[in-house]
């Protein structure tokens, strides 16, 4: 592999630096796996932001931060004589080979769908018969991401729509049930039915190859841009937002929208 030696040397340097910091830096010496956990979660979100922004310089930086955390955990484990980074690497290499029998074995697959089905079946086999399909979904995942992963896991086990178009009947059914509960004004039942409706929409997104988390975040960013433009319009008119009526705000919103469309054309 091209530049393999350089890559090994760079990784070895990171290992050495983390080991040195654990001995010499007061802050690094105090860290535990528990204290690093929330920081690691933050790093993953920062990487996600950089990927959505398409900022490759920032992606490179955040990948480095995340890799540093991985090495840090392994260093702590080594000090406690639990495992070291080589154990981590060996285990993931073995797992990848085991779960890709169409590459490292004699299994034949027709497409990506079969690859993912094999992956889930092999994963269950690894964990034993008592392991449940959905146990692999982290409890602490945000609800939208968790819904997507639950559906994806179920699909890997063969529980999925045969024709993706059929999902829209379910979406309409859940929406109608939500509307019915709105008439009854029972807060708990409204929430339950709205949850079912959201779950069906997320399922539809998955079936059409759309990542709902990414889609929603792009819409969040779009809303922020356009709302910021409304605030700018208000300032230019010497007003506060509270002094603008809805029609004025909507006019600014549509103006911001037209500017975005114009930029895309250019």
């Amino acid at each position: 592999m091209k530049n393999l030696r350089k890559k090994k040397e760079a990784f070895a340097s990171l290992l050495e630096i983390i080991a040195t910091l654990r001995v010499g830096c007061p802050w690094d010496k105090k860290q535990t796996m528990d204290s690093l956990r929330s920081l690691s979660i933050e790093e993953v979100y920062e990487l996600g932001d950089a990927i959505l922004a398409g900022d490759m310089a920032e992606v490179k930086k955040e990948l480095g931060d995340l890799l540093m955390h991985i090495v840090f955990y392994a260093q702590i484990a080594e000090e406690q004589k639990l495992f070291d980074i080589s154990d981590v690497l060996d285990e993931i290499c073995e797992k990848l080979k085991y779960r890709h029998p169409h590459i490292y074995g004699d299994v034949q697959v027709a497409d990506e769908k079969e690859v993912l089905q094999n992956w889930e079946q092999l994963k269950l086999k690894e964990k034993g018969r008592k392991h449940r399909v959905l146990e692999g979904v982290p409890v602490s995942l945000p609800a939208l991401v968790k819904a997507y992963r639950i559906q994806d896991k179920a699909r890997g086990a063969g529980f999925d729509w045969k024709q993706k178009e059929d999902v829209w009947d379910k979406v309409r059914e859940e929406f109608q049930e939500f509307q019915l509960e709105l008439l009854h004004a029972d807060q708990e039942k409204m929430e339950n039915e709205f949850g079912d409706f959201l779950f069906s929409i997320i399922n539809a997104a998955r079936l059409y190859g759309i990542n709902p988390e990414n889609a929603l975040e792009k819409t969040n960013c779009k809303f922020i841009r356009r709302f910021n433009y409304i605030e700018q319009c208000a300032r230019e008119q010497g007003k506060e937002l509270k002094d603008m009526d809805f029609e004025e705000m909507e006019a600014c919103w549509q103006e911001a929208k037209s500017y975005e469309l114009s930029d895309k054309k250019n």
Side-chain angles (χ1 to χ4, degrees):
M1 185 182 295
K2 185 179 180 181
N3 294 327
L4 182 57
R5 178 179 294 180
K6 182 180 178 182
K7 293 173 184 176
K8 288 181 177 179
E9 289 174 352
F11 189 60
S13 293
L14 177 59
L15 294 176
E16 184 178 346
I17 288 169
I18 295 299
T20 300
L21 293 177
R22 283 288 288 177
V23 174
C25 175
W27 184 88
D28 288 278
K29 283 194 289 187
K30 290 183 64 176
Q31 299 314 304
T32 65
M33 289 191 183
D34 285 340
S35 70
L36 288 174
R37 179 180 177 275
S38 61
L39 298 176
S40 300
I41 292 170
E42 183 179 335
E43 294 296 349
V44 172
Y45 277 108
E46 288 177 356
L47 174 60
D49 288 346
I51 291 170
L52 282 178
D55 187 336
M56 289 302 108
E58 198 65 16
V59 168
K60 179 176 69 173
K61 171 182 171 295
E62 297 302 340
L63 282 172
D65 290 344
L66 192 56
L67 184 57
M68 181 271 289
H69 276 249
I70 292 169
V71 171
F72 209 147
Y73 286 116
Q75 177 63 34
I76 292 172
E78 183 175 359
E79 293 164 6
Q80 297 173 358
K81 295 181 170 52
L82 300 172
F83 58 82
D84 62 23
I85 192 66
S86 64
D87 298 316
V88 174
L89 295 172
D90 287 343
E91 187 163 318
I92 188 59
C93 287
E94 287 303 313
K95 180 192 292 186
L96 288 171
K97 290 177 180 178
Y98 177 72
R99 294 192 189 171
H100 290 81
H102 53 289
I103 301 296
Y104 296 98
D106 55 6
V107 173
Q108 300 294 315
V109 292
D111 52 27
E112 176 194 5
K113 184 177 181 181
E114 288 190 11
V115 171
L116 292 174
Q117 286 177 340
N118 285 344
W119 179 280
E120 291 300 332
Q121 290 167 4
L122 289 168
K123 189 171 183 178
L124 286 174
K125 187 177 178 181
E126 286 174 24
K127 296 179 180 294
R129 291 182 179 180
K130 293 184 179 180
H131 181 76
R132 296 178 184 272
V133 172
L134 301 182
E135 285 179 9
V137 180
V139 174
S140 57
L141 274 180
L144 192 151
V145 179
K146 186 188 291 186
Y148 183 83
R149 290 296 294 137
I150 287 170
Q151 294 164 3
D152 199 41
K153 290 276 188 182
R155 177 203 49 74
F159 186 71
D160 204 3
W161 300 95
K162 291 183 179 179
Q163 301 293 329
K164 64 182 180 182
E165 294 80 7
D166 294 342
V167 74
W168 297 113
D169 290 333
K170 186 64 174 176
V171 170
R172 284 187 284 268
E173 175 191 327
E174 297 296 354
F175 183 59
Q176 288 167 2
E177 291 178 1
F178 170 62
Q179 286 181 307
L180 183 61
E181 291 304 333
L182 288 179
L183 297 175
H184 298 156
D186 183 311
Q187 189 66 34
E188 184 177 353
K189 289 183 178 179
M190 286 191 298
E191 187 174 288
N192 288 339
E193 292 300 338
F194 188 69
D196 291 346
F197 173 59
L198 275 180
F199 194 85
S200 68
I201 285 289
I202 292 167
N203 208 9
R206 177 187 61 81
L207 286 164
Y208 282 83
I210 298 168
N211 185 303
E213 169 70 18
N214 292 348
L216 182 58
E217 181 57 20
K218 288 176 182 177
T219 295
N220 289 340
C221 292
K222 180 167 57 180
F223 185 92
I224 291 170
R225 285 196 309 270
R226 294 178 184 176
F227 194 82
N228 287 345
Y229 186 81
I230 294 174
E231 287 187 298
Q232 180 184 330
C233 287
R235 285 195 297 269
E236 289 174 353
Q237 296 173 28
K239 295 181 178 180
E240 297 289 336
L241 275 178
K242 61 183 177 60
D243 299 324
M244 298 180 77
D245 58 33
F246 179 77
E247 286 71 22
E248 289 177 303
M249 289 185 177
E250 177 63 17
C252 291
W253 178 277
Q254 293 300 328
E255 193 172 297
K257 189 174 179 179
S258 66
Y259 283 149
E260 287 177 5
L261 292 173
S262 177
D263 288 342
K264 286 180 180 179
K265 289 179 180 178
N266 295 333

